[in-house]
Amino acid sequence: MRVEINGEARELAPGSTVAALLASLGLEGRPVAVEHNAAIVPRAHHATTTIAEGDKLEVVQFVGGG
């Protein structure tokens, strides 16, 4: 299925979850914020939030520095 992640079109397997997406991006277990169709997805819901055709996601990584 086709979705938009951080403004770029990508193909995902049907029934993918936010957790599966993060794993495919190499971000599993890292501090990130995920917005799914303009709503923040709490970390506790990553494994149960499914992604559908045409969904829009924003994934933001937290970076420290000074």
Side-chain angles (χ1 to χ4, degrees):
M1 71 182 160
R2 195 164 184 83
V3 299
E4 187 177 303
I5 302 170
N6 294 348
E8 295 184 19
R10 289 187 60 132
E11 290 289 328
L12 293 180
S16 290
T17 64
V18 170
L21 168 66
L22 293 175
S24 74
L25 296 173
L27 298 173
E28 187 174 33
R30 294 194 176 187
V32 296
V34 179
E35 183 181 274
H36 178 229
N37 295 328
I40 298 294
V41 180
R43 180 178 296 271
H45 295 245
H46 286 183
T48 58
T49 301
T50 56
I51 302 169
E53 176 80 28
D55 282 356
K56 294 183 180 184
L57 297 108
E58 293 291 327
V59 179
V60 179
Q61 296 182 62
F62 297 103
V63 180

